[in-house]
Amino acid sequence: MAKKDTYLALLRRGIDETTAMQLADSGLKIGDLKKIDQTMLVENYGLKPDIADGVLEIIKAGPQSHGKERFLSKVLAPERKQESKIEEIRFQRERRDVLAELAEQKERLKIAKVESFRAQKLVMNRLGKTVELIVKLEDNLEDETKDDLKVKIRDQLETRGLEAARDHEMLELDGTPQDIVDYRRKHVPTLVMHACPICGEEMDPRQSRDEDRPDEYALMCWDCETSFQPELIINVMARLDGADRITVEEDSRPRNPVPPKPARMDLESVNRLIEADLESTNASADAMTAQVESSALVGGLMDINDWIDQTIAAKGYIQAQEDREDFILRTGAGATKFNKWMKKAGLYFNKQTGRWTRFKDR
């Protein structure tokens, strides 16, 4: 009976079953455990030193509600190693170097993105101007009645079409430049013109505003003298004044759940995150820089003098009918500047053959 009482008393204090059974079988009681020391438990009763220390500490502390957890934490918890000051300083220096390198890679990535965007913007502006010129040429071609002028306009359309195709290919856009021209000529004017509901006359809203109704967007048809509001404006005002308009409540809570603030991480976790970010940023920065350098927008165009030397070395001459298209695509120069660049390079033009050479008698 005494063994069972000792066993249960030890369990209530949080000692594990194996140790409690071993102490109860040896005939020890709670009072005896308070009188002996750690050396006697190790030598006479076969306990390990750390387990003996945990048993004595629990016995001296008395019964507790969390005795078992406390006993296990004392026995199983590893000893904390003291961090070296030198290692901490070394880690801080390495982290500072890593952060500096990471900032440098991010700056490289930002510069590469800016250069890529700048090159695309230049080409896009040039393509827009070329498209506007093609639109004007096509309008003039439809209105022109003389055949000789139509031939000249078609030649200009051909050269401008080559320039638009070059820029369109550089930007890697879908479709063709002619699709942009058709949209600009056929669809855009219909989007801004309004028809009179009485006579059907189309009018430009910039020249047909009704001055007697300044508070409303009203147009005046000068043929039938009818003042009206376009159907588009009526639909827009109905939507703005309607009850189904979207409203924003400034004090409302976020619709999606807000993630909690991340917990603090130790130095090793921070170091791993920094290294992963550095590796990804470095790779993306190198890839972006290589892409910008190899892009046709930045480094793909040849120098005009180099193109002239290369063409003459290959053929011995330059002819507008054969080499104008290649000249536009390779150098990026305008088609109308072809003869000017040939003269500037010191070439001689033969009127009989239509060729440019470096020799006056050929």
Side-chain angles (χ1 to χ4, degrees):
M1 190 67 182
K3 292 183 180 180
K4 186 176 181 180
D5 294 339
T6 304
Y7 173 73
L8 295 177
L10 293 175
L11 289 180
R12 285 194 298 270
R13 283 167 170 77
I15 299 176
D16 63 301
E17 298 178 358
T18 304
T19 306
M21 182 62 70
Q22 184 177 355
L23 294 175
D25 291 340
S26 61
L28 291 175
K29 299 180 181 179
I30 300 298
D32 299 334
L33 290 173
K34 294 180 179 180
K35 298 177 182 179
I36 61 179
D37 56 357
Q38 184 255 359
T39 305
M40 187 177 296
L41 286 176
V42 173
E43 295 178 355
N44 298 342
Y45 300 98
L47 297 181
K48 294 182 179 180
D50 51 355
I51 297 178
D53 292 337
V55 170
L56 293 178
E57 185 176 355
I58 291 175
I59 294 299
K60 293 178 181 179
Q64 295 181 1
S65 60
H66 299 284
K68 188 172 184 179
E69 291 82 355
R70 189 164 174 267
F71 171 77
L72 293 176
S73 65
K74 293 292 183 181
V75 174
L76 302 179
E79 297 181 359
R80 297 187 61 183
K81 297 181 180 180
Q82 294 183 356
E83 297 182 358
S84 175
K85 190 67 176 179
I86 298 177
E87 294 295 333
E88 184 178 357
I89 295 175
R90 182 182 302 172
F91 172 77
Q92 292 178 357
R93 291 178 179 176
E94 292 178 355
R95 185 176 63 176
R96 186 163 54 249
D97 296 340
V98 169
L99 290 176
E101 187 175 356
L102 179 62
E104 181 181 356
Q105 298 299 336
K106 288 184 177 180
E107 187 68 20
R108 286 181 53 201
L109 181 61
K110 183 175 69 174
I111 293 175
K113 289 181 178 179
V114 169
E115 291 297 331
S116 177
F117 174 76
R118 184 179 300 169
Q120 290 182 357
K121 185 178 180 182
L122 292 176
V123 177
M124 182 66 73
N125 293 337
R126 188 171 61 193
L127 177 61
K129 294 179 181 179
T130 307
V131 168
E132 290 294 331
L133 183 57
I134 293 175
V135 170
K136 292 181 180 179
L137 290 175
E138 289 189 356
D139 292 338
N140 295 336
L141 182 62
E142 291 183 357
D143 299 336
E144 189 59 49
T145 57
K146 297 181 180 180
D147 294 337
D148 54 346
L149 294 180
K150 285 185 177 181
V151 172
K152 293 182 179 180
I153 294 176
R154 288 193 183 96
D155 293 340
Q156 294 181 9
L157 281 174
E158 183 180 358
T159 55
R160 299 303 176 183
L162 292 175
E163 296 177 3
R166 176 198 62 198
D167 297 338
H168 193 275
E169 184 178 358
M170 285 183 177
L171 294 173
E172 299 179 356
L173 301 177
D174 297 333
T176 61
Q178 190 61 37
D179 297 338
I180 304 176
V181 174
D182 294 340
Y183 180 81
R184 175 65 181 83
R185 291 185 63 242
K186 299 177 182 179
H187 297 282
V188 172
T190 60
L191 298 178
V192 298
M193 302 295 287
H194 299 280
C196 176
I198 304 300
C199 62
E201 179 68 20
E202 292 186 354
M203 59 192 68
D204 189 349
R206 296 173 296 180
Q207 302 174 359
S208 304
R209 292 294 301 272
D210 189 357
E211 298 180 357
D212 296 335
R213 302 166 65 181
D215 298 336
E216 301 176 356
Y217 190 83
L219 303 180
M220 172 65 73
C221 179
W222 304 110
D223 292 343
C224 61
E225 298 183 357
T226 302
S227 178
F228 67 96
Q229 277 190 322
E231 189 69 23
L232 176 63
I233 301 302
I234 296 175
N235 294 334
V236 171
M237 296 305 297
R239 179 61 62 88
L240 293 177
D241 298 337
D244 56 346
R245 185 180 178 184
I246 298 176
T247 57
V248 179
E249 297 180 1
E250 297 181 356
D251 298 334
S252 61
R253 299 181 60 185
R255 179 180 302 176
N256 298 327
V258 180
K261 184 178 180 180
R264 297 185 61 183
M265 295 183 293
D266 54 356
L267 298 179
E268 295 182 359
S269 301
V270 174
N271 192 14
R272 286 196 298 268
L273 289 177
I274 292 176
E275 291 179 355
D277 194 5
L278 178 60
E279 292 178 359
S280 61
T281 307
N282 189 13
S284 57
D286 294 339
M288 178 63 73
T289 304
Q291 182 179 1
V292 171
E293 291 177 354
S294 62
S295 175
L297 300 178
V298 179
L301 299 179
M302 292 181 58
D303 184 69
I304 295 178
N305 294 326
D306 295 340
W307 180 87
I308 293 174
D309 296 338
Q310 180 179 347
T311 307
I312 289 183
K315 299 170 52 179
Y317 65 90
I318 296 176
Q319 192 170 8
Q321 289 80 359
E322 299 177 3
D323 303 320
R324 185 191 298 270
E325 180 178 355
D326 186 67
F327 173 76
I328 296 172
L329 297 177
R330 292 290 186 87
T331 63
T336 57
K337 307 296 183 181
F338 182 80
N339 294 334
K340 184 194 76 171
W341 284 109
M342 298 301 108
K343 293 179 181 179
K344 191 174 181 180
L347 302 182
Y348 296 97
F349 181 71
N350 191 332
K351 295 183 179 180
Q352 296 179 355
T353 60
R355 297 177 177 179
W356 293 88
T357 59
R358 294 193 183 277
F359 304 97
K360 191 173 183 180
D361 55 345
R362 294 186 183 179

